Amino acid sequence: MSNEQALRQYDVKKYRTPDGYTSDIAVFTIRSTRNEMFKPPTMELHIMLIKRSMVDNEGRPNIEAGKWALPGGFVGPDETAYQSAARELKEETGVDHIHLQHYGVYDAPGRDPRGWIISNAHYAIVPEHQLAHRQANDDASEVELFSVEDVLQLDLAFDHAEIIADAITVIRHKLLETTVAKEFLPAEFTYSELQAVLLTVTKDSAIALDAAFARKIKTLPFIQEITGKKTTRTSKKPAQLYRFVDVEVNSSIYHARK
Amino acid sequence: MSNEQALRQYDVKKYRTPDGYTSDIAVFTIRSTRNEMFKPPTMELHIMLIKRSMVDNEGRPNIEAGKWALPGGFVGPDETAYQSAARELKEETGVDHIHLQHYGVYDAPGRDPRGWIISNAHYAIVPEHQLAHRQANDDASEVELFSVEDVLQLDLAFDHAEIIADAITVIRHKLLETTVAKEFLPAEFTYSELQAVLLTVTKDSAIALDAAFARKIKTLPFIQEITGKKTTRTSKKPAQLYRFVDVEVNSSIYHARK
DNA sequence: CCAATAGTGTCTATGAGACATTATCTA
DNA sequence: TAGATAATGTCTCATAGACACTATTGG
């Protein structure tokens, strides 16, 4: 096979190669202020950041020490950036099998002072209760949740201000244009719980008005009523429970919604 | 500044680094079979591929020689993958300032026999007439357009079958969920021309039925009627011309279309 | 006048949006 | 019973979708 001959003659050093390949993860969670019983929750979208340690795990001064940054790390040669992100997310937060998706590549020359380092940005959705036992690792002295309203005011490492801003834009769109809202909710939820999730990213009246939204949820093809099943966790009057169903969502700008 | 101290001590060889960083470009064009005068065009979506040369530019046997592949090449340290794609697109086809967008990263271990090589996939939209003077370069012995219906039957290099399949999925969605259809059309177009573009990716009746679509185009917020301007290039009866306007398109699955 | 495409008339059904009203439960 | 949330009733208006019909023009 002539490919083998070509490979023997191929010089892998022919082109200059990157100095590093990393994954970063924007971990989103929604904090519910469920202050009272029998009340629908008020929700606010948060992002998890780490504060970079002053010294690395070998005791030397750390790059961008003391600044807030997205969790992440270097990708190895035997994994994809996505697998690396999943692994790091588990190391960082202890959570596994959660919604994780790639959304961008950051490779502008000079973005990292250490050299030519390419970062793959991912976003993850973690229900708040799963973040309970999050922990700091070697690179991170602190782990904290910040409201997406405030996070860009922080002193952020590298080009993470840009990566975070993009993540927020992406999740705002995804929440409204796909069914990822599902990932923030329990398997069975009331209309007011879904509404609270969506209200973290929009103030649109069609979603904000209770009567309109309670009626609309019954017509959405990707949401199914669980007939006969109700809960009183959001009100004294038992509220109908719904679940997401896996149907393809058509969001064509030229079609009518079916 | 302590970052400088940290940098001096930073060992750039601490992690194993990729053997290469490349950009690939899925160039889409629509071929119009405008066989007769006074007829709306029939359109078919095509993708441009190159046939990899048997030998490289130094006369040595080429990797994946003779197979069809996406155009692309290695990214340099002083450019982004996007800039590299734009540059290569210009070298390959001579076209400049066209719609180009990143849509995926391909970094599965073993995807390229030459080593750990990461590819950034982009799609580009080039109006057919601009592809007139496309040319083969060192790596490519032939350049050809293939219908998206047939392209996956070819013997494709590397993991390009996957990259191309993803590109086709992406452009199908983008054509219906964004206003990129604009990039395939002249600045001023008739309803039947836009309809023909959309029919390359959907058979939906709301788009396929003339009367419905002719009426709908007037209500779309991102399309504007050019009052008083008509053309007879698609029929004997003069047809109204339209243009795209830059407005934000809301494609929320929970909202009504406004 | 024919053929072909562009575009309108008309009807029905559905659903958005607004606002009022009813239902259900606990403290 | 008060108060809160859930859910429905009712009205108006807009538009999707279907199908028939009219308009315009070159050959």
Side-chain angles (χ1 to χ4, degrees), chain A residues 17 23 35 43 63 66 68 81 109 131 153 160 192 202 224-225:
Chain A
T17 59
S23 274
N35 13 21
M43 295 181 171
I63 308 287
W68 291 99
L131 278 184
Q153 314 297 322
H160 286 199
S192 64
T202 185
Q224 188 179 56
E225 185 175 315

Side-chain angles (χ1 to χ4, degrees), chain A:
Chain A
M1 179 192 174
S2 77
N3 227 16
E4 289 167 15
Q5 189 195 347
L7 264 180
R8 274 196 302 278
Q9 297 195 24
Y10 181 77
D11 176 13
V12 80
K13 296 281 170 248
K14 188 159 141 191
Y15 298 95
R16 210 185 126 186
T17 59
D19 297 325
Y21 186 50
T22 66
S23 274
D24 288 313
I25 311 141
V27 179
F28 288 104
T29 197
I30 289 183
R31 295 185 113 166
S32 300
T33 51
R34 195 191 285 275
N35 13 21
E36 294 158 68
M37 295 289 288
F38 308 115
K39 282 228 165 201
T42 311
M43 295 181 171
E44 198 179 7
L45 188 60
H46 283 70
I47 185 170
M48 191 189 87
L49 297 183
I50 63 170
K51 192 171 199 172
R52 292 178 62 85
S53 305
M54 299 313 287
V55 295
D56 67 15
N57 54 10
E58 293 166 20
R60 288 180 296 196
N62 202 7
I63 308 287
E64 301 280 66
K67 294 188 179 179
W68 291 99
L70 293 166
F74 283 83
V75 180
D78 299 319
E79 61 183 357
T80 64
Y82 182 89
Q83 288 163 348
S84 169
R87 177 175 54 72
E88 284 152 8
L89 186 58
K90 184 162 187 200
E91 290 167 11
E92 190 69 48
T93 64
V95 298
D96 211 351
H97 304 111
I98 51 89
H99 184 84
L100 178 67
Q101 200 166 317
H102 182 271
Y103 72 86
V105 172
Y106 295 84
D107 62 355
R111 63 172 288 277
D112 188 315
R114 293 170 292 189
W116 183 15
I117 293 181
I118 295 146
S119 178
N120 279 279
H122 304 74
Y123 70 88
I125 296 180
V126 184
E128 188 184 17
H129 63 90
Q130 292 207 43
L131 278 184
H133 43 37
R134 61 187 187 269
Q135 69 226 8
N137 70 1
D138 289 337
D139 269 355
S141 53
E142 294 175 47
V143 181
E144 204 163 313
L145 294 178
F146 295 95
S147 157
V148 297
E149 308 297 331
D150 310 330
V151 66
L152 292 174
Q153 314 297 322
L154 297 172
D155 186 20
L156 295 163
F158 307 111
D159 56 352
H160 286 199
E162 182 188 352
I163 302 179
I164 292 167
D166 291 350
I168 294 168
T169 301
V170 167
I171 198 150
R172 287 204 162 118
H173 280 93
K174 294 279 179 182
L175 270 174
L176 297 176
E177 294 170 12
T178 75
T179 57
V180 281
K182 172 185 184 180
E183 309 295 332
F184 285 113
L185 290 167
E188 304 183 341
F189 54 89
T190 67
Y191 88 87
S192 64
E193 289 170 329
L194 173 58
Q195 186 186 30
V197 170
L198 299 178
L199 286 176
T200 65
V201 296
T202 185
K203 300 302 169 230
D204 187 289
S205 70
I207 287 173
L209 297 178
D210 293 335
F213 196 74
R215 199 171 254 135
K216 166 142 26 197
I217 196 170
K218 289 189 211 141
T219 71
L220 297 174
F222 48 90
I223 291 181
Q224 188 179 56
E225 185 175 315
I226 308 172
T227 36
K229 197 152 180 200
K230 305 202 173 200
T231 182
T232 56
R233 67 173 175 255
T234 61
S235 76
K236 294 165 187 169
K237 172 168 177 181
Q240 179 61 51
L241 285 168
Y242 298 88
R243 68 163 73 91
F244 277 92
V245 295
D246 282 330
V247 295
E248 206 187 335
V249 178
N250 166 23
S251 57
S252 161
I253 59 178
Y254 300 99
H255 289 63
R257 193 93 59 228
K258 272 283 174 45

Side-chain angles (χ1 to χ4, degrees), chain B residues 218-249:
Chain B
K218 289 188 213 145
T219 72
L220 297 173
F222 48 89
I223 291 180
Q224 189 180 54
E225 185 177 314
I226 308 171
T227 37
K229 199 155 178 197
K230 305 202 173 201
T231 183
T232 55
R233 67 174 175 257
T234 61
S235 77
K236 294 165 187 169
K237 173 169 177 181
Q240 180 60 49
L241 285 167
Y242 298 88
R243 69 164 72 92
F244 276 92
V245 295
D246 282 329
V247 297
E248 207 187 335
V249 177

